């Protein structure tokens, strides 16, 4: 039984990255459909998934449309309880849900001032006080998850979970703008950068060129790194 997954441009659509990782990382069968996030066709491309207005969105094998990554995550976890989307330990699972919900509703300054782009790393990006506050909070909650539940692996809760899905675009933002983080957080970002699925997503995105380039800054750039450590 195969899902239909609707996504936007891989290089820039952070929420689409989350939606895709939910399927790719947990071996849930899916077909990908590209929606025109920057070409102006988004509304018609999502028409059959009403009331969806944004990517990602999905249609279940039995025809139910689901939009918004948080709703998609819970729907997939409910339908695939053995796929390991959430940690099995109740305390870890509760904290993972908390971190996912905080990402879904928070870190607005980081998200607005540092939109995800997977083309290159900017050199000389000025970190505002508000972005620094978001980075400080990220480092706190990542360290908490790792210290309590992450001893058995490189991810926030040891094994890969939905928490890592939701923070993958944050790792991309930290990388793309060379944002300052501590050693532990840099190692976690590197884990994302070296993940096969993440790298596959970026490679596919680089096959598309843009003129003008969305979110471009008037700053020098350097090659996208494979590690922050």
């Amino acid at each position: 039984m195969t899902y239909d997954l609707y996504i936007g441009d891989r290089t820039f659509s952070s929420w689409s990255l989350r939606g895709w990782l939910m399927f790719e990382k947990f071996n849930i069968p899916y077909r990908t459909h590209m929606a025109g996030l920057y070409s102006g066709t988004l509304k018609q491309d999502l028409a059959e998934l009403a009331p969806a207005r944004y990517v990602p969105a999905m249609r279940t094998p039995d025809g139910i449309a689901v939009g918004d990554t948080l709703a998609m995550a819970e729907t997939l976890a409910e339908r695939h309880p053995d796929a390991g989307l959430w940690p099995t330990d109740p305390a870890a699972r509760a904290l993972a849900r908390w971190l996912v919900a905080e990402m879904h509703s928070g870190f607005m300054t980081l998200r607005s001032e540092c939109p995800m782009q997977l083309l290159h790393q900017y050199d000389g990006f000025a970190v505002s006080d508000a972005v620094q506050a978001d980075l400080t909070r990220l480092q706190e909650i990542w360290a908490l998850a790792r210290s309590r539940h992450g001893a058995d692996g490189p991810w926030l809760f040891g094994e890969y979970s939905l928490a890592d899905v939701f923070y993958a675009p944050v790792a991309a933002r930290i990388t793309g703008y060379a944002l300052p983080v501590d050693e532990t957080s840099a190692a976690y970002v590197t884990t994302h950068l070296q993940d096969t699925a993440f790298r596959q997503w970026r490679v596919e995105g680089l096959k598309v060129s843009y003129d003008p380039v969305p979110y471009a800054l008037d700053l020098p750039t350097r090659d996208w790194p494979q590690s922050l450590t």
Side-chain angles (χ1 to χ4, degrees):
M1 301 292 283
T2 303
Y3 292 76
D4 288 289
L5 173 66
Y6 291 72
I7 62 172
D9 302 68
R10 289 178 173 88
T11 300
F12 305 103
S13 180
S14 59
W15 292 104
S16 293
L17 172 58
R18 290 188 180 96
W20 182 79
L21 286 171
M22 292 178 200
F23 290 91
E24 184 69 20
K25 291 294 291 185
F26 299 102
N27 299 311
I28 299 173
Y30 66 99
R31 288 182 292 264
T32 301
H33 304 267
M34 296 301 298
L37 186 58
Y38 295 99
S39 65
T41 64
L42 185 62
K43 183 176 181 179
Q44 51 263 47
D45 292 341
L46 297 180
E48 60 186 30
L49 297 179
R53 295 190 298 160
Y54 306 112
V55 285
M58 72 181 191
R59 183 169 51 230
T60 68
D62 47 336
I64 300 172
V66 184
D68 192 286
T69 52
L70 195 54
M72 291 169 60
E74 289 294 0
T75 300
L76 292 175
E78 179 181 75
R79 286 171 169 256
H80 302 274
D82 298 323
L85 280 81
W86 290 118
T88 55
D89 175 73
R93 187 165 61 252
L95 183 57
R97 282 184 166 134
W98 182 350
L99 266 59
V100 164
E102 183 163 344
M103 181 66 252
H104 187 267
S105 63
F107 302 104
M108 293 301 183
T109 305
L110 174 65
R111 288 155 62 177
S112 63
E113 294 189 16
C114 306
M116 191 185 84
Q117 60 82 27
L118 304 178
L119 296 174
H120 41 236
Q121 184 177 72
Y122 283 110
D123 185 11
F125 178 79
V127 179
S128 68
D129 290 344
V131 168
Q132 185 58 58
D134 279 348
L135 292 171
T136 298
R137 176 60 178 172
L138 282 167
Q139 292 172 95
E140 290 173 352
I141 59 178
W142 286 356
L144 178 66
R146 295 283 298 139
S147 65
R148 288 185 180 177
H149 306 290
D152 295 332
W155 301 102
L156 290 177
F157 294 86
E159 297 295 321
Y160 196 92
S161 75
L162 284 169
D164 303 297
V165 165
F166 273 71
Y167 284 95
V170 175
R173 287 178 164 95
I174 289 171
T175 304
Y177 297 85
L179 302 179
V181 293
D182 60 30
E183 184 177 345
T184 299
S185 296
Y188 176 61
V189 170
T190 292
T191 299
H192 281 285
L193 297 181
Q194 296 179 350
D195 180 65
T196 299
F198 184 96
R199 294 175 68 180
Q200 177 186 342
W201 173 271
R202 181 172 180 268
V203 167
E204 288 299 312
L206 293 177
K207 294 178 181 179
V208 181
S209 59
Y210 298 86
D211 185 17
V213 175
Y215 314 123
L217 298 179
D218 186 18
L219 288 173
T221 63
R222 47 184 175 243
D223 290 343
W224 183 265
Q226 294 301 315
S227 173
L228 290 192
T229 57

